Amino acid sequence: MPHRTVTPEHRSRARQLRHNLTEPERRLWRQLRERKPWGFHFRKQVPLVPFVADFVLFASKLVIELDGETHSTPEQLAHDNRRTAWLSGNGFTVMRFSNHEIMSSLNDVAQTILNTVETLPKTQPDQSS
């Protein structure tokens, strides 16, 4: 991935998003955080210039994005497609889930994520910070 400096504004935006998680983000974060003892260290609201990713597992270059109702507009879908293309072009696997999926089938979503993690090569040691 090309090195891009995270600006103070970008870092501030990510920090703001971390402190103001939506309910679906909060629920998924609890599930992902519980997997840390098994070697899965996810980070939330991570600046990946020019974007902020909802959840990232750097060891496997996996990005998980949650999409609310606003993601159904043509403009937002186009933005999401550009975002996914950029992330994929920089070596990340991107998984997208709707807020509805998180709220109605959290255990299934968590299992799908863990199944995917098990199939991905570990590209670097887990970051435990």
Side-chain angles (χ1 to χ4, degrees), residues 42-109:
F42 284 89
R43 293 179 54 202
K44 63 182 174 184
Q45 302 300 342
V46 179
L48 297 174
V49 177
F51 304 106
V52 176
D54 290 337
F55 302 99
V56 178
L57 177 62
F58 279 107
S60 298
K61 292 195 83 170
L62 175 65
V63 170
I64 299 167
E65 290 290 310
L66 301 189
D67 297 337
E69 289 181 23
T70 61
H71 289 260
S72 61
T73 66
E75 297 82 15
Q76 189 60 47
L77 288 171
H79 175 77
D80 289 346
N81 288 337
R82 285 190 304 274
R83 176 190 193 99
T84 297
W86 186 91
L87 290 165
S88 296
N90 283 283
F92 287 93
T93 298
V94 180
M95 298 181 77
R96 288 189 170 279
F97 298 97
S98 70
N99 285 349
H100 176 74
E101 287 176 288
I102 300 299
M103 299 304 285
S104 65
S105 305
L106 180 59
N107 290 332
D108 292 338
V109 168

Side-chain angles (χ1 to χ4, degrees), residues 59-61 117-124:
S60 298
K61 292 195 83 170
V117 169
E118 290 175 353
T119 67
L120 294 172
K122 204 166 189 172
T123 60
Q124 57 183 321

